[in-house]
Amino acid sequence: MNRILIEGGIPLRGEIPVSGAKNAVLPLMAATLLADGICVIDDVPALADVNTMCQVLASLGTKCNLSDSTLSIDTSGVYSIEAPGELVRKMRASFLIMGPLLAKHGSARMSLPGGCAIGARPIDLHLKGFESMGAEISIGHGYIEARASKLIGNRVYLDFPSVGATENIMMAASLAEGNTVIENAAEEPEIVDLSNLLSAMGAKIKGAGTSIIRIEGVEQLKAARHTVIPDRIEAGSFMVMAAATGGDVLITNVISEHLKAVIAKLEDCGAQVIEELDGLRVVGNPQIEPADIKTMPYPGFATDMQAQFTAYLSCCRGTSVVTETIFENRFMHIEELNKMGADIRVEGNSAIINGVSHLKGTSVVATDLRAGAAMIIAGLMSKGQTEITEIQHILRGYENICEKLSACGAKIKFAQ
Ligand code: EPZ
């Protein structure tokens, strides 16, 4: 199963359920290291990244068991503070165990997470937070080690509202001595979800979801149970698929507040988004109006939705400009879209899209997770067959993607 095949040109009609959020469940799993006992997380999606995080936690001595989207993590047997290099290098989010290990066990050691296809992905802001709380950091031979007999609360200003740094520092501060204030913190919904689990474990946190988060350190935390929020990026991806195929789809298990920027942009492009009791209904318009997009930290337009809209706008009636301000190399889907007949050129951190009447199916590569989603959108929009290779990237973030789309009439399947 290493390819996806799509027969495009079919409007999606029906209902698509959204799974638990990948970018919420990964920090939630790391947070379980802050307590001894069995934490239970519900609505966990069956994704490759969740499996990788289970392997990371198991390498430290925890016992993870996922069945029917309920994940239990028993941390009473943690015996190691070092995660295997190949796992950390495979998934950058593994670095989220650094804060909890440092706070709970006084040290942590792992390989530097390294960059990935979309950018260098430095960790300087994470380390700035740990050092400001008294941790000693040493880096050498591709490894990073952090030590602190006891973290001391402090004020930390983030030069950029980094999601991961906010999460790592918030987790570390939960068990520090005294108070910590994170200024210019990330405001994403996944930060609020993590704060809710930490509070259920006994942490004292105020302000998650705003740019100033205050944490009063406590002596110890206890295991708790928590349900993951729905995946706003998966939901947004399906909303674009409905609009791009001129379909009519009800997306269920969504929090519409998390999708304001996506809803606004879809309406700018001529689609209809109707808030219903059990979800968001998206009705596409065969005429796609041009729109300009600029990615920003939440609540601005999400960088994780940029590739999907670039695919959608490739057939707009005019010229659209998409500007990527978060990552330095997040336009790799454009070469693949141009193979399908799109007319897009990159100028600095902007993509200039001259809309074409239609795309033509061909063989394309999923260069990264969200670029893979963009290829699915382009394939669904195109005349003819599209073959997508390197689909391991897509499986990192989209649970049962072919099943969910086939249920709405799409001709899409996995193939060897
Ligand atoms: C999270 O990554 C998400 N991943 C990403 O989703 C998402 O694109 C990103 O936030 C931005 O919203 C998870 O939550 C697992 P950042 P993260 O730290 O935490 C710079 C997807 O497709 N930066 O907010 O790594 C960094 O280089 C993935 O699901 C520093 O300079 O993102 C980047 O330019 C992709 N120093 C910007 O901040 C640091 O110490 C945003 O990074 C940390 C980050």
Side-chain angles (χ1 to χ4, degrees), residues 1-64:
M1 190 179 82
N2 49 26
R3 294 181 302 153
I4 285 178
L5 299 178
I6 300 171
E7 279 297 332
I10 301 167
L12 297 183
R13 297 209 193 298
E15 198 171 302
I16 300 184
V18 172
S19 303
K22 169 183 84 83
N23 291 349
V25 74
L26 296 175
L28 293 173
M29 291 170 73
T32 64
L33 292 166
L34 288 163
D36 290 331
I38 300 176
C39 280
V40 178
I41 306 174
D42 295 302
D43 275 6
V44 172
L47 297 171
D49 274 8
V50 170
N51 187 37
T52 302
M53 187 59 103
C54 284
Q55 291 174 40
V56 169
L57 294 176
S59 73
L60 305 174
T62 72
K63 292 189 188 67
C64 298

Side-chain angles (χ1 to χ4, degrees), residues 240 244 305-315 322 330-346 351-354 356 358-367 370-382 386-388:
V240 173
M305 285 300 305
Q306 179 262 108
Q308 297 90 317
F309 265 83
T310 304
Y312 175 41
L313 289 167
S314 67
C315 292
V322 174
R330 205 169 196 176
F331 281 144
M332 288 176 295
H333 44 285
I334 287 172
E335 185 182 336
E336 302 305 309
L337 290 170
N338 286 340
K339 281 183 197 168
M340 301 176 78
D343 176 4
I344 308 172
R345 70 180 190 280
V346 175
I352 318 299
I353 305 170
N354 295 318
V356 296
H358 64 275
L359 298 178
K360 293 180 297 300
T362 185
S363 184
V364 290
V365 179
T367 53
R370 305 305 173 183
M375 292 304 109
I376 290 178
I377 292 164
L380 292 170
M381 291 167 77
S382 300
T386 297
E387 174 200 55
I388 305 173

Side-chain angles (χ1 to χ4, degrees), residues 131-288:
E131 285 175 321
S132 75
M133 289 192 272
E136 276 168 34
I137 307 284
S138 53
I139 295 177
H141 311 298
Y143 268 79
I144 180 164
E145 194 154 341
R147 291 186 173 289
S149 49
K150 183 71 182 163
L151 292 174
I152 310 297
N154 201 346
R155 186 178 69 79
V156 183
Y157 176 80
L158 295 180
D159 306 71
F160 181 87
S162 155
V163 172
T166 302
E167 290 166 344
N168 237 334
I169 296 164
M170 192 164 73
M171 289 189 282
S174 298
L175 285 179
E177 202 167 286
N179 298 338
T180 296
V181 180
I182 306 174
E183 294 177 341
N184 198 29
E187 303 177 29
E188 274 71 0
E190 292 75 27
I191 309 277
V192 178
D193 206 33
L194 175 60
S195 172
N196 289 338
L197 169 61
L198 291 170
S199 300
M201 294 168 75
K204 292 182 179 168
I205 301 174
K206 283 195 172 54
T210 75
S211 63
I212 297 182
I213 302 177
R214 299 175 194 283
I215 304 110
E216 182 187 334
V218 295
E219 277 294 308
Q220 69 174 17
L221 294 172
K222 62 185 186 333
R225 182 157 197 159
H226 179 78
T227 300
V228 189
I229 53 171
D231 193 317
R232 61 192 170 97
I233 305 302
E234 184 197 15
S237 304
F238 288 132
M239 292 169 74
V240 173
M241 291 175 198
T245 57
D248 182 345
V249 178
L250 178 66
I251 316 280
T252 60
N253 188 33
V254 294
I255 298 174
S256 60
E257 185 199 332
H258 295 168
L259 288 153
K260 290 297 176 212
V262 168
I263 293 167
K265 279 302 163 187
L266 282 174
E267 291 175 338
D268 289 351
C269 295
Q272 254 192 306
V273 181
I274 303 137
E275 187 144 3
E276 301 204 350
L277 215 55
D278 46 358
L280 288 173
R281 184 174 163 212
V282 178
V283 182
N285 182 332
Q287 293 292 2
I288 301 170

Side-chain angles (χ1 to χ4, degrees), residues 22-23 92 121-125 162-164 304 326 370:
K22 169 183 84 83
N23 291 349
R92 172 187 165 72
R121 312 293 294 272
I123 53 168
D124 57 309
L125 298 176
S162 155
V163 172
D304 292 349
I326 308 293
R370 305 305 173 183

